[in-house]
Amino acid sequence: MNIYIIIKAILALGILGGAFGALLAVASNIFHVDVDPKQAAIRECLAGANCGGCGFPGCDGYAAAVAAGKASTNKCVAGGVETAMQIAEIMGGTAVVEEAKVAFVPCSGTIGHAEPRFNYNGPQDCRAAMLFGGKGNKTCTFACIGLGNCTNVCQFDAIHIVDGVAKVDRDNCVGCGSCAEACPKSIIKLLPKSQIVMPACGNHDKGAKVMKMCDFGCIGCMKCQRECPADAIHVVDALAVVDNDKCTKCGHCAEICPRHIITNLSK
């Protein structure tokens, strides 16, 4: 008797499974959407990181936009020049290559050099620290909080917290901008990869105030501005700013900066 019950149950499940399968087959035909062959080919070319660096919601969104003629072929920052050329070939055009960008954190306020506002022992989250203390855990309101929101979103292992400040690995960075979006203080910048001379400070306060807050903050002394042979660095709103188009990468500004905050990657 029990055997017959089991057999009936198996048959019933088989019938139900067949019915549901038929319904799914009908539904797939009804709701089927033809995909543009170009869109599929473009999607195959993309890096698949879904990083959002192209400005679209993932690789599928970007592929659809390019195929529809609503986006240029060179926006896949993770794929770079090679991917741009492949997509341009699919679209029957020529790739316009834009200069690659990398993230940069303009802060030198490492542990022991930036004056703390308070000892923070809450969740290891930059937004939480801002909610707790208004502007973060350091007296400099322009400083990196250093709790790693940027590192948590980076898919390329390109940014890490070192001595309380986020540092970018330029070799790994693709310039997608995820870290910049994740930073609650919006201090992370995307710069041309060719720019290798950069003031590693974002503080716009006057020099006397900066000296009380950080050993390495820019004090706007203008020594770099006065001695730059290419007129490529100027103090704007109390902070040194480099004009990359004029900069010859000589590194003289980095050598003479009394606060040692100008980064020269050629050295």
Side-chain angles (χ1 to χ4, degrees), residues 96-152:
V96 178
V97 179
E98 295 182 352
E99 182 175 2
K101 293 186 177 182
V102 293
F104 177 66
V105 185
C107 179
S108 300
T110 52
I111 296 172
H113 296 285
E115 189 69 24
R117 292 181 65 215
F118 52 82
N119 293 322
Y120 177 71
N121 295 312
Q124 295 301 289
D125 181 274
C126 297
R127 288 188 177 85
M130 284 189 68
L131 290 172
F132 182 81
K135 292 292 185 178
N137 53 352
K138 300 171 183 175
T139 55
C140 176
T141 58
F142 302 91
C144 172
I145 296 174
L147 295 180
N149 288 42
C150 51
T151 65
N152 293 336

Side-chain angles (χ1 to χ4, degrees), residues 104-118 135-147 160-167 185 187 199-203 210-218 239 259-263:
F104 177 66
V105 185
C107 179
S108 300
T110 52
I111 296 172
H113 296 285
E115 189 69 24
R117 292 181 65 215
F118 52 82
K135 292 292 185 178
N137 53 352
K138 300 171 183 175
T139 55
C140 176
T141 58
F142 302 91
C144 172
I145 296 174
L147 295 180
H160 305 92
I161 304 301
V162 181
D163 293 332
V165 172
K167 299 293 182 183
K185 296 184 78 171
I187 66 168
C201 178
N203 195 320
V210 173
M211 293 180 73
K212 295 178 181 179
M213 294 187 290
C214 183
D215 294 339
F216 293 126
C218 177
L239 182 67
R259 303 288 283 179
H260 308 292
I261 57 97
I262 301 179
T263 300

Side-chain angles (χ1 to χ4, degrees), residues 181-192:
E181 291 182 10
C183 177
K185 296 184 78 171
S186 301
I187 66 168
I188 301 178
K189 302 178 182 298
L190 290 178
L191 301 178

Side-chain angles (χ1 to χ4, degrees), residues 235-250:
V235 174
V236 180
D237 193 14
L239 182 67
V241 178
V242 172
D243 183 338
N244 191 48
D245 293 331
K246 291 183 177 181
C247 182
T248 61
K249 284 77 173 174
C250 70

Side-chain angles (χ1 to χ4, degrees), residues 3 89 93 127 198 205 243:
I3 294 175
E89 185 176 351
R127 288 188 177 85
M198 302 158 287
D205 291 324
D243 183 338

